[in-house]
Amino acid sequence: MKKALITGISGQDGSYLTEFLLKKGYEVHGIVRRSSTVVRSRLDFISPEVNRQNLFLHYGDLSDGSSLFKLVNRIKPDEVYNLGAQSHVRISFDIPLYTADVDGLGTLRLLDAIRDSHSQAKFYQASSSEMFGLVQTTPQNESTPFHPRSPYACAKVFAHYQTINYRESHGLFACCGILFNHESPRRGENFVTRKICKGVAEIKSGKRQKITLGNLDARRDWGYAPEYVEAMWLMLQQQTADDYVIATGETHSVKEFVEAAFAYVGLNWQEHVEFDQKYTRPAEVDLLQGDYSKAKQKLGWEPKVKFKDLLAIMMEAELTGEPVSRL
Ligand code: NAP
Ligand code: G4F
């Protein structure tokens, strides 16, 4: 039985990856942070067909190198997926040092824990399309230069190059997945797609009248999270470690998403959307559109769910109030 260790197991991607790996027969170990209330709702909704007896949670933190070292040593994982992060771009402007510590140095702590413990574990790093920032070419692929535009993106660039450096200097089987935005009913409520879908469903049911948003002109390449976690796993099953862009190849504006979500329930968005400066960023990433041809060719990976289907999945989950795992 293969063993996987996941940081960020309680997050959107962590919960889908856990489900995916348990279905494949893995023993899955996850690192969780201590909090005053124990809320692990995404893991609570893991499909009932999956054998949860092979899931183990351990306290640890990316800011605490000693906990990482001990866990890598004790668990002896075959694969390590580093998904843990302060993952909100706008909030990274409020807490830049914390974001750099967890997302940047945290990755280095984990890489060093693997190296120090002489582990042969394969390593996956959650790199981000935010690293392209002020984009130099469109669409963006693995050769597109980075121009990060937030503390979050700067930390991710640091972690990306540390991962490549451990591969090149110390022979770690380490891969970076440069994932473009991916969403689901399990997306955090303060990311724009989930915020819109939840708000639209509440307006439709009469619970509220308005939603308040920031920049509607930004364009994103939005895919479906369960498909993206399969790409992470595929990267670690290859003969050699490499870096891959994972995306849909489509780009849509936030305004298009808003229009489509309100149209889904037969409402006119202009009557219900307000602007608030507080949801804008000091520097914006205006356009993201990924070129996933390397992943298609080498991993045999392709997205199936694109903009319209993604919106329908997320809207249906909000309208029916189905538990977030029942997809
Ligand atoms: P998410 O839902 O925000 O989950 C983040 C996870 O990291 C949570 O489990 C969180 O734990 C954990 N975490 C936060 N701080 C930590 C710390 N100090 N030590 C250990 N764990 C910590 O993020 P996601 O959408 O699943 O994304 C997964 C990863 O992919 C992140 O690294 C993100 O930056 C990256 N990424 C995401 C996207 C996307 O579109 N979703 C695209 C590219 C890259 P709590 O539950 O305790 O908060
Ligand atoms: O949903 P968002 O907050 O996602 P963002 O900033 O693109 O970051 C996400 O994707 C990255 C991959 O490219 C990940 F690395 C990162 O961890 C995260 O998962 O914002 C999307 C767009 C932005 O342009 C933002 O300015 O929506 C715009 N927006 C407009 N109004 C808003 C809002 N974003 C949020 N969160 N809230 C608003 O009210």
Side-chain angles (χ1 to χ4, degrees), residues 192-307:
V192 80
T193 56
R194 179 87 196 281
K195 181 174 170 181
I196 294 166
C197 293
K198 187 168 185 290
V200 168
E202 286 173 0
I203 290 169
K204 184 67 182 172
S205 70
K207 280 196 196 133
R208 60 199 280 197
Q209 287 299 310
K210 305 271 183 199
I211 52 174
T212 310
L213 296 169
N215 177 18
L216 301 187
D217 295 324
R219 302 183 71 86
R220 290 290 181 274
D221 179 330
W222 282 296
Y224 184 40
E227 295 184 350
Y228 283 43
V229 301
E230 180 169 12
M232 298 173 188
W233 175 78
L234 282 168
M235 287 177 213
L236 298 197
Q237 311 315 308
Q238 305 307 303
Q239 286 297 316
T240 48
D242 207 345
D243 310 316
Y244 299 88
V245 158
I246 300 297
T248 69
E250 288 186 8
T251 187
H252 298 271
S253 67
V254 175
K255 192 190 285 174
E256 282 175 68
F257 198 96
V258 171
E259 278 173 355
F262 277 97
Y264 195 86
V265 296
L267 293 173
N268 178 1
W269 72 277
Q270 278 155 318
E271 291 166 18
H272 299 280
V273 175
E274 287 175 338
F275 170 78
D276 192 325
Q277 186 78 28
K278 79 176 178 205
Y279 295 116
T280 64
R281 289 123 199 238
E284 177 62 281
V285 172
D286 294 320
L287 164 69
L288 290 174
Q289 183 174 16
D291 168 7
Y292 64 88
S293 43
K294 179 175 171 183
K296 183 178 175 185
Q297 193 207 335
K298 301 223 161 141
L299 306 177
W301 181 89
E302 267 199 278
K304 293 177 200 74
V305 175
K306 296 203 177 176
F307 186 77

Side-chain angles (χ1 to χ4, degrees), residues 8-14 31 33 42 60-63 82-87 98 102 126-129 152 156 179-183 187 191:
I9 193 165
S10 56
Q12 171 189 255
D13 291 5
I31 298 181
R33 299 190 288 174
R42 293 179 178 112
D61 199 301
L62 283 162
S63 63
N82 184 32
L83 311 183
Q86 190 302 92
S87 73
Y98 175 78
V102 172
S127 288
S128 166
S129 53
Y152 167 81
K156 283 288 181 180
L179 271 52
F180 283 62
N181 299 52
H182 45 281
E183 318 293 312
R187 186 59 141 152
F191 293 92

Side-chain angles (χ1 to χ4, degrees), residues 31 34 73-74 94 106 114-115 191 219 312 321:
I31 298 181
R34 190 267 161 184
N73 244 315
R74 177 145 46 92
D94 299 337
I114 293 172
R115 180 178 167 231
F191 293 92
R219 302 183 71 86

Side-chain angles (χ1 to χ4, degrees), residues 70-192:
K70 280 187 214 149
L71 288 171
V72 170
N73 244 315
R74 177 145 46 92
I75 294 163
K76 303 202 185 322
D78 300 288
E79 296 170 8
V80 175
Y81 295 87
N82 184 32
L83 311 183
Q86 190 302 92
S87 73
H88 201 284
V89 175
R90 201 206 54 73
I91 294 172
S92 77
F93 287 97
D94 299 337
I95 46 170
L97 276 80
Y98 175 78
T99 305
D101 188 33
V102 172
D103 301 13
L105 278 176
T107 303
L108 182 54
R109 290 186 188 102
L110 185 54
L111 286 163
D112 218 46
I114 293 172
R115 180 178 167 231
D116 268 1
S117 54
H118 306 289
S119 162
Q120 294 301 305
K122 295 180 173 182
F123 181 81
Y124 173 84
Q125 168 58 15
S127 288
S128 166
S129 53
E130 277 292 306
M131 301 188 305
F132 296 123
L134 188 64
V135 296
Q136 307 293 297
T137 54
T138 296
Q140 297 85 43
N141 64 23
E142 294 79 4
S143 311
T144 305
F146 299 140
H147 187 132
R149 299 266 280 171
S150 62
Y152 167 81
C154 291
K156 283 288 181 180
V157 170
F158 175 87
H160 182 84
Y161 282 122
Q162 289 293 353
T163 303
I164 292 172
N165 191 46
Y166 270 65
R167 178 168 80 213
E168 293 178 353
S169 304
H170 306 303
L172 252 69
F173 189 108
C175 301
C176 299
I178 308 174
L179 271 52
F180 283 62
N181 299 52
H182 45 281
E183 318 293 312
S184 73
R186 295 186 199 174
R187 186 59 141 152
E189 289 178 8
N190 59 357
F191 293 92
V192 80

